[in-house]
Amino acid sequence: MRFEAARNRRLFDENWSFYKGDIRIPHAVKAGMTGGITDCGSIREGEWLDIAFNDKGMGNQQLEWASLRLPHDWCVEQQYVQDESLGSRDGSHGYLPGGIGFYRKSFELPAEAAGRKWSVTFDGVSGTSTIWVNGHLIGEHRGGYIGFTYDLSDVLRYGGEGRNVILVKVDAMECEGWWYEGCGIYRHVWLEETDRLHVAEYGTYITTPEATAQEALVLINTRIRNDYTESRSVTLLTEIYDAAGVQVCSKSVQAYADWYGETKLEQMFKVEQPALWSPDSPYLYKAVSILKYNGAEVDRYETVFGIRSIRFDADEGFFLNGEPLLIKGTCNHQDFAGVGVALPDSLIEYKLRLLKEMGANAYRSAHHPPTPELLDICDRIGMLVMDENRKLDSSPNGLSQLKRMLLRDRNHPSVIIWNLENEEVLEGTVTGARILKTLADTTRKIDPTRPTSAAMNHGWSENGYNDVVDITGYNYGHRDHLDIRDHEQHPGRLMIGTECASYTVTRGIYEDDPVRGYCSEYGTNIPSWGCSPQQAWSVMVNHRFLTGVFMWTGFDYRGEPTPYQWPCVNSHFGLMDTCGFPKDSYYYMQAVWKDEPMVHLLPHWNWPGSEGKLIEVRVFSNTDTVELILNGKSLGQQEVDRTGYLSWQVIYEPGELKAVGRSGGRTVAEKAAVTAGQPVQIRLYPDRLAGKADGSDTIPVRVAVLDGQGHVVPAADNEIRFEVVGAGQLLGVGNGNPSSHEPDKSEVRRVFNGWCLALIQASAEAGPITVRAVSTGLAAAEVVLQTSEAAI
């Protein structure tokens, strides 16, 4: 491992070993002498050493370790089990068992690395983690959604002292939430070295107290950490660069860094004619903090930020940079087909792009802090974020997790709200109000620039609970028009739809099927607390004081099967399925959230045996009018309701059903549903043809079964086998079927209603990747992806 003179942060994901199962590791009789698999040293002679290395029960047991690269979720590799006790309630974990697993990694450091500060950061471990380094028990962490850092400087070995080994035990036997959470080290790990005089962890705090198109004030607070045993005079030089890398301003300050402590410094900058950050123009700046001692640079710390202003109004809702903006959001858990919760960064971005293409401008991380990379991407592509604390908990551990979220995320311009809890039992109670107030006060102390909120489903006006946060979140406030009535009774209350709709539908299904666990896309099986997307959005549009909506959910997610349990293993709430394939409701949101002309119709037009029967045809569009045409014959034209949908009762006959959208009398959008023939061929639709040869970059490849004319066969369920050759591998597969028990880590997958998905991950060496899909009786398909060296 290469030694650096200044700060160096290394991705620590490669070359780990994994063991599935429990291993007894006895308590260390003497510090650092746990021995066995926790240390790479050998047992020496001597009575006290013999005691210290006493691994009772291990004997000569040989453990089989699998090599892998992080992130990793072993839960998704398990088999589905019809056990309703899996999860916090019936099947809430998706009928996949948890368990215990171990991760182990060895590495070397040069002799000159001694005397530096070395730390390891885990961005997220699903379960309770216990970590040893070179036989030393370093720490335990409970909570899978926020990162944690350990200082390893004292216990590492440098140069000839020997190799280092880090061992992580992950206990995922208990569930933290009521949805699929996965198992393992499912986010990135980082190894970082600095001088003992350095910018502290999350040591910059950047705010923009004034932000207009003419001028912005940028306030930067920096915490300097001095771990030397003598105080030092230092210089902090801060430089601000625009997106093109041009320096726009700089300033230095002299300071006296007290020994073994932290020093806080404040600098104010003026940026003329700044580019303001917004979803439509997500412009980013970078602050570089350069710390010098005796004229020499000892640390360099970079912080990406945006210049923008936010404001919430009790009557008019949300304002960004002084302009009103409707919040068009979705709630999302973090899992995805083929990978569980261990998403490569490129898949996180893929999911966010799908939401952005739908017209969403906001993301609620439900119900926990997101992975850091998600916020980086939201900053870059322009997606507002409701950043969420895991739960109503003011215990030392609860406050620690909240503080780490705030310190980690407060420089992101995308983050506009700190949501402190979701649907807690203690909402509206005296005890709950006290806990929530502690969380809210803690938040305001660390970041007073963003409002706090609570996503509530009861107790809105009881015992002062709601009064301790800035914004009242309404989960399903449409019930009995509660949110509207509350505005009349509390006109000064800031409000937002933190959770809306809960529309249970299955992609490509148009009749409820309790046996197979499917829900009709017509929305005939909505939970008692839910409503249609049309109702949720139309109420928002007609009542601006509601500020915005966060639809439940952007994607189907594993666990919480609703309304059916087994054989269902995931939810039906998503506007997209677990693979990111759009449902019909996706296009409704696109029609009301975007201005680009579009038209969408449902259902598909393959209904053998239904000739002469009436079928309801629905159309979503944002044009002025839509005309429906069946086999060249007009079925009439209707004016578009921008918050609703159009409906025709059509006598079924095979052929082409086409919706034609017109604005100003001119055709601006069309969509057709064609009666498909028998399955004949496979077609591959890669998200992109090029990737990075970094061992992580993953390209989703959509797979369709077509007839001889190239039309998707809407009821096809052919089994597809994937062959991947070259500089990549098949990472996982999926099809969005909420009742499928096929493995996600497999070379085969059935299509569901015409579609399935293959995830192709690049290797660390550049070159072509040939992806081939075959199925008995179908013409095979092939695509070649090209990877190149990752940017340094």
Side-chain angles (χ1 to χ4, degrees), residues 506-579:
T506 308
R507 175 180 60 81
I509 297 294
Y510 297 96
E511 186 175 1
D512 291 332
D513 187 341
V515 174
R516 293 190 295 173
Y518 300 152
C519 300
S520 170
E521 293 237 50
Y522 286 113
T524 53
N525 197 342
I526 304 176
S528 59
W529 66 87
C531 69
S532 68
Q534 293 83 9
Q535 180 179 346
W537 181 246
S538 61
V539 172
M540 165 66 238
V541 170
N542 293 319
H543 301 89
R544 289 294 295 269
F545 57 80
L546 294 177
T547 304
V549 297
F550 286 93
M551 309 296 286
W552 189 264
T553 51
F555 298 84
D556 283 347
Y557 55 92
R558 300 174 190 273
E560 202 172 21
T562 307
Y564 309 117
Q565 295 181 19
W566 186 272
C568 284
V569 295
N570 65 250
S571 78
H572 298 253
F573 297 114
L575 298 163
M576 290 171 275
D577 66 19
T578 55
C579 296

Side-chain angles (χ1 to χ4, degrees), residues 209-262:
E210 293 185 20
T212 68
Q214 291 74 40
E215 181 182 279
L217 295 180
V218 178
L219 178 63
I220 303 182
N221 284 276
T222 307
R223 291 184 293 117
I224 306 300
R225 178 75 194 180
N226 180 11
D227 284 323
Y228 287 104
T229 53
E230 70 274 355
S231 301
R232 296 193 169 186
S233 296
V234 300
T235 300
L236 174 65
L237 170 63
T238 303
E239 301 170 338
I240 296 179
Y241 294 86
D242 66 15
V246 177
Q247 186 179 122
V248 295
C249 50
S250 67
K251 188 175 292 186
S252 63
V253 59
Q254 306 294 319
Y256 190 72
D258 198 10
W259 71 283
Y260 236 66
E262 287 189 1

Side-chain angles (χ1 to χ4, degrees), residues 475-742:
N475 286 11
Y476 312 105
H478 69 275
R479 293 171 292 170
D480 297 324
H481 306 291
L482 176 68
D483 46 10
I484 297 173
R485 290 191 287 108
D486 275 4
H487 175 71
E488 295 171 352
Q489 297 175 16
H490 308 279
R493 177 181 292 180
L494 299 177
M495 307 171 68
I496 192 169
T498 39
E499 198 167 308
C500 306
S502 272
Y503 192 59
T504 46
V505 295
T506 308
R507 175 180 60 81
I509 297 294
Y510 297 96
E511 186 175 1
D512 291 332
D513 187 341
V515 174
R516 293 190 295 173
Y518 300 152
C519 300
S520 170
E521 293 237 50
Y522 286 113
T524 53
N525 197 342
I526 304 176
S528 59
W529 66 87
C531 69
S532 68
Q534 293 83 9
Q535 180 179 346
W537 181 246
S538 61
V539 172
M540 165 66 238
V541 170
N542 293 319
H543 301 89
R544 289 294 295 269
F545 57 80
L546 294 177
T547 304
V549 297
F550 286 93
M551 309 296 286
W552 189 264
T553 51
F555 298 84
D556 283 347
Y557 55 92
R558 300 174 190 273
E560 202 172 21
T562 307
Y564 309 117
Q565 295 181 19
W566 186 272
C568 284
V569 295
N570 65 250
S571 78
H572 298 253
F573 297 114
L575 298 163
M576 290 171 275
D577 66 19
T578 55
C579 296
F581 292 122
K583 302 180 186 180
D584 291 313
S585 51
Y586 176 100
Y587 297 103
Y588 169 76
M589 304 316 306
Q590 193 174 71
V592 297
W593 281 356
K594 299 188 75 173
D595 293 327
E596 293 85 350
M598 61 81 62
V599 62
H600 175 79
L601 60 82
L602 67 112
H604 60 72
W605 210 237
N606 271 59
W607 300 104
S610 296
E611 288 79 4
K613 297 180 181 179
L614 286 175
I615 292 179
E616 182 189 3
V617 175
R618 294 183 184 178
V619 173
F620 306 137
S621 182
N622 56 12
T623 60
D624 292 343
T625 63
V626 172
E627 182 182 13
L628 193 66
I629 301 172
L630 177 59
N631 293 329
K633 180 181 178 181
S634 176
L635 302 181
Q637 181 170 278
Q638 298 184 34
E639 292 187 3
V640 171
D641 176 0
R642 280 302 302 271
T643 60
Y645 60 85
L646 306 180
S647 177
W648 283 262
Q649 292 294 326
V650 179
I651 298 175
Y652 176 70
E653 62 179 59
E656 181 186 67
L657 182 69
K658 182 167 65 175
V660 179
R662 298 185 178 92
S663 292
R666 183 172 59 90
T667 299
V668 293
E670 293 185 357
K671 185 68 174 290
V674 178
T675 304
Q678 293 299 309
V680 170
Q681 58 184 316
I682 305 170
R683 185 164 297 175
L684 303 179
Y685 301 91
D687 176 60
R688 48 198 162 93
L689 292 173
K692 293 181 179 180
D694 59 1
S696 175
D697 192 15
T698 301
I699 299 176
V701 178
R702 294 186 172 190
V703 184
V705 171
L706 312 179
D707 68 4
Q709 304 302 313
H711 304 303
V712 176
V713 182
D717 66 349
N718 305 72
E719 183 178 81
I720 309 295
R721 176 174 295 276
F722 297 98
E723 302 168 357
V724 179
V725 179
Q729 63 171 339
L730 180 64
L731 180 62
V733 292
N735 62 13
N737 182 347
S739 300
S740 174
H741 300 162
E742 299 171 274

